[in-house]
Amino acid sequence: MALKKGVNSYATVSEADAYFEGRLDAAAWVEANDEEKEQALITGTAYLDDKRWEGVAVDETQDLAFPRVGTYFDPRIG
């Protein structure tokens, strides 16, 4: 399956490349080819979308769990 931002991924490969550019321990990402990076982004998105989140999706027709509206207050954090 091809990566499609907003459909099966929260980011493009180029956006993720820019993110990892300044990160420690990013060797696995840097050494991966574009197909592996797409697979990683799609897998990560599926993992996040399988979780239960507070609030509701901004648009009931959106493919992904985010963006969301609603608030969450954790008294431990403040």
Side-chain angles (χ1 to χ4, degrees):
M1 170 184 274
L3 182 141
K4 294 184 182 175
K5 183 177 176 178
V7 176
N8 62 0
S9 179
Y10 286 107
T12 64
V13 170
S14 62
E15 289 170 335
D17 284 343
Y19 171 84
F20 281 108
E21 200 170 85
R23 300 294 189 261
L24 184 64
D25 295 328
W29 180 264
V30 172
E31 294 169 5
N33 63 43
D34 283 351
E35 183 178 353
E36 293 167 329
K37 290 177 179 183
E38 286 185 3
Q39 290 172 341
L41 290 168
I42 291 169
T43 300
T45 298
Y47 177 81
L48 290 172
D49 276 9
D50 284 344
K51 303 294 179 196
R52 289 185 163 217
W53 299 101
E54 294 290 324
V56 296
V58 170
D59 183 344
E60 64 185 40
T61 64
Q62 70 191 49
D63 292 314
L64 301 176
F66 288 90
R68 300 183 77 70
V69 293
T71 59
Y72 176 74
F73 177 74
D74 186 340
R76 298 172 297 141
I77 298 172

